[in-house]
Amino acid sequence: MSENKKEKKYYRQVSLSPFTNKSSTFSTYLMILIAVIPQVIMLFITKSFSNLIIIGTCILACFASELISIIQKKHVNLSILTSFLYGILIGFFLPAGYPPVSVFFITFFTMLLLKYAFSDSYVTWLNPVIVTVICCWFIGQINFPGFQVTRDYLSAKNPSLILIQEGIFPTFKFDEAVTSFLNDSAFSIFGVSIPQGYVSLLWDSGSVIPAFRFNFLTIIASIFLIVSDIFSFEVSGIYLVTYLLLVKFLGPVITGGIPMQGDMLLALLSSGTLFTAFFCLQWFGTTPMSIKGKIFFGLIGGIIAFVFAGCGTSPIGSAITILFLNIISPIIQYFENKSNRARIANTLRKENA
């Protein structure tokens, strides 16, 4: 068998698809759904019924788009589970007060369009959740909140503390007791302390957008997803570190704040930064497969997040970041595949030699 034929045969045995990095199985989707359910329960506990109505509407719209596939006898084996998961995640990025009728039709037609564009595949190079959220933003931008932090806030040392003191971020009754306990125990070892309000911000920011609210639960969910090997820590970790370092060092330069004193906590605990990093950043088919590709993906993601989400409290910056990363990812994966083919060819040549 000639060398070229041998190489071609080897290529047929190895899948180098640029749009697939991990199989999206039933158990994988189920684990993600389990990870986000506690935050849905918190919406019930906090009586956030407007958000729950929007989430329910999104689920119905996703079911309706799946029904079209069922009628046409296409892929239906994951239809119920994906409808629930997509619906919940889309609803989590939409603000309370967004008209449910608009939510239904935007979600329905966007999901339907994506199904036809990607042959009803469950692994695409565009995140369906993010695309739908962006469509809702463009059509109903008036329903989204604006930036809660202004240039005047950013010129201060701790903008997040000012927002807490002014009541923009709520403070709960348990905050004083928990803060005192942490300062007297864990933080006293390092000779530092945290002001009141940050525990509340970590627990529930009070945003009208659910994905921005329950940061502590998002951290717990991220640990669960990483330990379960659903997502890797490398991409999200590099993404967050890059973004936060830019906020700390470059943010004050742009906003006229105190040098090297950008508020990383504000950036981390607002704008849905954590929720996006662990629930949307590594969606199936949208993430490079190689270590180098993942590192570059995380780095460029942090830069894009700084551009669009700024130093915090952005209503749509995180979603736009994921959309741009989805567009960039196929380019990265193209070069990954090219590198893989070159490596395979070199291996075969060495074997023949």
Side-chain angles (χ1 to χ4, degrees):
M1 183 180 293
S2 67
E3 183 178 331
N4 289 336
K5 290 183 179 179
K6 194 171 183 181
E7 288 180 14
K8 290 180 181 178
K9 181 179 179 181
Y10 194 83
Y11 292 154
R12 286 195 297 268
Q13 293 173 347
V14 180
S15 173
L16 297 175
S17 171
F19 305 134
T20 307
N21 63 344
K22 187 176 288 188
S23 59
S24 52
T25 61
F26 178 89
S27 59
T28 300
Y29 278 114
L30 182 61
M31 297 291 268
I32 300 174
L33 186 60
I34 291 173
V36 78
I37 284 298
Q39 301 201 35
V40 178
I41 295 174
M42 279 299 297
L43 291 176
F44 277 101
I45 294 175
T46 57
K47 299 180 180 179
S48 304
F49 299 120
S50 296
N51 291 119
L52 290 170
I53 290 172
I54 290 174
I55 291 172
T57 302
C58 291
I59 293 173
L60 288 176
C62 290
F63 266 118
S65 66
E66 286 287 351
L67 184 60
I68 303 298
S69 297
I70 294 174
I71 293 174
Q72 295 180 347
K73 297 182 179 180
K74 293 188 177 181
H75 305 286
V76 297
N77 57 322
L78 292 175
S79 59
I80 296 178
L81 187 60
T82 53
S83 294
F84 266 106
L85 183 57
Y86 286 166
I88 290 174
L89 292 179
I90 292 169
F92 258 75
F93 280 97
L94 300 181
Y98 203 111
V101 175
S102 299
V103 169
F104 179 87
F105 283 107
I106 295 171
T107 303
F108 173 76
F109 285 112
T110 303
M111 295 298 293
L112 198 62
L113 178 62
L114 289 173
K115 287 177 183 297
Y116 279 102
F118 296 104
S119 301
D120 207 26
S121 174
Y122 290 102
V123 180
T124 68
W125 61 273
L126 281 176
N127 187 322
V129 172
I130 294 301
V131 174
T132 305
V133 172
I134 296 294
C135 288
C136 289
W137 159 261
F138 276 113
I139 294 173
Q141 183 176 348
I142 192 174
N143 298 295
F144 282 78
F147 277 88
Q148 293 174 301
V149 61
T150 64
R151 192 181 186 90
D152 292 335
Y153 284 115
L154 293 174
S155 63
K157 183 176 181 180
N158 294 312
S160 55
L161 182 58
I162 297 175
L163 293 173
I164 291 170
Q165 293 173 343
E166 293 186 356
I168 296 176
F169 291 142
T171 302
F172 298 99
K173 294 180 179 179
F174 60 79
D175 189 284
E176 183 178 357
V178 175
T179 300
S180 298
F181 172 77
L182 292 174
N183 287 335
D184 293 339
S185 55
F187 295 127
S188 62
I189 299 175
F190 303 98
V192 297
S193 62
I194 59 172
Q196 292 184 22
Y198 283 103
V199 172
S200 296
L201 181 58
L202 182 65
W203 180 249
D204 183 359
S205 68
S207 173
V208 294
I209 302 177
F212 298 7
R213 291 183 62 176
F214 311 113
N215 289 294
F216 179 75
L217 292 181
T218 300
I219 293 173
I220 299 300
S222 68
I223 296 172
F224 171 75
L225 292 173
I226 291 170
V227 171
S228 302
D229 197 30
I230 305 300
F231 298 129
S232 64
F233 178 75
E234 292 88 350
V235 176
S236 297
I238 294 172
Y239 168 79
L240 290 173
V241 169
T242 302
Y243 173 48
L244 294 179
L245 287 177
L246 287 173
V247 169
K248 181 176 179 60
F249 294 104
L250 187 57
V253 175
I254 297 174
T255 61
I258 301 174
M260 297 184 294
Q261 294 294 323
D263 196 335
M264 292 191 294
L265 280 176
L266 178 65
L268 185 67
L269 301 179
S270 66
S271 305
T273 302
L274 285 172
F275 193 92
T276 304
F278 292 106
F279 280 103
C280 301
L281 182 63
Q282 300 184 64
W283 203 254
F284 312 105
T286 67
T287 312
M289 295 175 286
S290 67
I291 296 298
K292 290 182 180 179
K294 290 180 178 179
I295 292 174
F296 182 76
F297 188 76
L299 285 171
I300 196 68
I303 296 171
I304 295 173
F306 180 72
V307 172
F308 288 103
C311 297
T313 72
S314 169
I316 197 66
S318 294
I320 294 177
T321 297
I322 300 300
L323 180 63
F324 272 86
L325 280 175
N326 287 173
I327 296 172
I328 294 172
S329 182
I331 301 173
I332 300 174
Q333 295 184 50
Y334 167 79
F335 285 103
E336 281 183 332
N337 289 341
K338 191 174 182 179
S339 176
N340 288 338
R341 284 191 169 88
R343 187 171 62 253
I344 292 171
N346 289 333
T347 300
L348 291 174
R349 290 191 187 97
K350 290 180 180 178
E351 289 179 356
N352 291 333

